[in-house]
Amino acid sequence: SWYVFAAADGKQVTWDMDERDRASFAPDMKLGERVVVGDLQAGVSIARFGGQFGLSYMQREVSSEDVQRTEQFAAFSFSLKR
């Protein structure tokens, strides 16, 4: 048997570090830097001969106020049943 799969995920990370008030548990509220991370993944998996082979491709985009970066890679996996 064989399977085709796809997945997507997105996250937003926001932080606000006030240099004057690092020790406080209630820092002043203000607009801080925002980072957005998005992942896309697709692949195929084949189950044969007591094992499973998988090949997938992944793309990750990271963007902030100053930088935008894209990473792409492929992965191969193999597992055996006992």
Side-chain angles (χ1 to χ4, degrees), residues 2-5 42-46 53-56:
W2 59 280
Y3 309 92
V4 175
F5 60 90
V44 63
S45 178
I46 300 170
F53 305 87
L55 179 63
S56 64

Side-chain angles (χ1 to χ4, degrees), residues 1-59:
S1 63
W2 59 280
Y3 309 92
V4 175
F5 60 90
D9 187 28
K11 294 182 178 140
Q12 177 177 327
V13 180
T14 304
W15 68 87
D16 179 10
M17 175 127 350
D18 188 353
E19 294 293 328
R20 299 171 287 127
D21 197 15
R22 284 188 183 207
S24 174
F25 290 106
D28 295 336
M29 294 182 68
K30 67 178 181 178
L31 180 62
E33 186 171 352
R34 180 180 65 163
V35 176
V36 178
V37 179
D39 293 336
L40 295 173
Q41 181 179 12
V44 63
S45 178
I46 300 170
R48 297 278 166 117
F49 311 113
Q52 187 171 5
F53 305 87
L55 179 63
S56 64
Y57 167 78
M58 185 166 182
Q59 179 173 327

Side-chain angles (χ1 to χ4, degrees), residues 11 19 27 35 38 44 47 51 56 63-66 68 70 80-81:
K11 294 182 178 140
E19 294 293 328
V35 176
V44 63
S56 64
S63 63
S64 68
E65 295 172 357
D66 302 331
Q68 184 167 357
T70 301
L80 288 173
K81 291 182 182 180

